[in-house]
């Protein structure tokens, strides 16, 4: 049994305990008597559900070859490393280039890592549109000042 399957089982058990404790909450003295229980019970049920899904999916995938698992593990380590480096670069250029330009560069790198070179046009459109729209939303509507572009 791998660590993810064990985590799913643990999440299911914790969900069962949490839901049981949520059912024991006292009823409200004012308004709907079960209102204080609804949200905690919902969280407990979701925890049970997601724990079961994780457990069953991991148990089903145990038939994969070790070679495939090692290959996926190496690819994941590369993605994590490149993403971390992109985040460091983003932090270094954020104040110098401003929010819009640095975010376009950051998103372009991240989308290139995950979508590949085949979707470079889509990646660029998404990077530019996201950066510009978020900049205007924050600056105009929310009144939050983000670092401006150096030439403005």
């Amino acid at each position: 049994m791998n660590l993810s399957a064990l985590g799913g089982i643990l999440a299911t058990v914790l969900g069962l305990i949490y839901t049981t404790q949520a059912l024991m909450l006292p009823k409200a003295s004012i308004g709907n008597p079960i209102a204080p229980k609804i949200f905690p019970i919902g969280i407990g049920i979701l925890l049970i559900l997601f724990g079961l899904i994780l457990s069953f999916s991991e148990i089903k995938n145990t038939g994969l070859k070790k070679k495939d698992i090692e290959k996926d593990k190496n690819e994941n380590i590369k993605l994590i490393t490149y993403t971390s480096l992109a985040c460091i670069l983003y932090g270094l250029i954020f104040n110098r280039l401003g929010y819009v330009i640095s975010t376009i560069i950051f998103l372009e790198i991240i989308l290139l890592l995950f979508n590949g070179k085949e979707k470079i046009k889509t990646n660029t459109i998404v990077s530019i549109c996201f950066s510009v729209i978020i900049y205007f939303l924050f600056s105009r509507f929310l009144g939050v000042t983000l670092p401006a572009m150096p030439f403005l």
Side-chain angles (χ1 to χ4, degrees):
M1 181 179 303
N2 63 14
L3 195 58
S4 292
L6 187 61
I9 292 170
L10 181 65
T12 304
V13 170
L14 287 173
L16 287 169
I17 294 169
Y18 185 83
T19 304
T20 304
Q21 294 297 316
L23 289 169
M24 292 181 183
L25 286 171
K27 293 181 179 181
S29 59
I30 302 172
N32 187 354
I34 63 165
K37 295 182 179 185
I38 293 173
F39 187 70
I41 290 171
I43 290 174
I45 290 171
L46 285 175
L47 189 57
I48 294 168
L49 180 69
F50 291 142
L52 288 172
I53 290 171
L54 178 61
S55 298
F56 287 128
S57 67
E58 287 300 318
I59 290 170
K60 186 180 102 174
N61 290 336
T62 55
L64 292 176
K65 297 177 184 176
K66 278 192 171 185
K67 190 176 183 181
D68 292 338
I69 292 172
E70 285 298 320
K71 182 181 174 187
D72 288 344
K73 186 176 178 182
N74 290 337
E75 288 181 25
N76 288 341
I77 290 172
K78 285 181 184 177
L79 283 175
I80 290 169
T81 303
Y82 292 144
T83 302
S84 299
L85 291 173
C87 290
I88 291 169
L89 175 69
Y90 183 59
L92 292 173
I93 65 173
F94 187 75
N95 283 331
R96 290 186 185 112
L97 297 180
Y99 171 80
V100 175
I101 295 173
S102 60
T103 304
I104 289 171
I105 293 169
F106 174 73
L107 286 177
E108 192 71 35
I109 293 169
I110 296 298
L111 290 172
L112 182 68
L113 284 173
F114 288 97
N115 290 342
K117 294 177 183 177
E118 302 84 35
K119 297 184 179 182
I120 193 80
K121 290 180 184 176
T122 305
N123 294 346
T124 304
I125 291 169
V126 167
S127 298
I128 293 170
C129 289
F130 177 83
S131 299
V132 170
I133 289 170
I134 294 299
Y135 181 78
F136 281 114
L137 283 176
F138 272 75
S139 63
R140 303 286 185 219
F141 297 113
L142 298 176
V144 176
T145 54
L146 296 170
M149 291 180 269
F151 49 85
L152 290 180

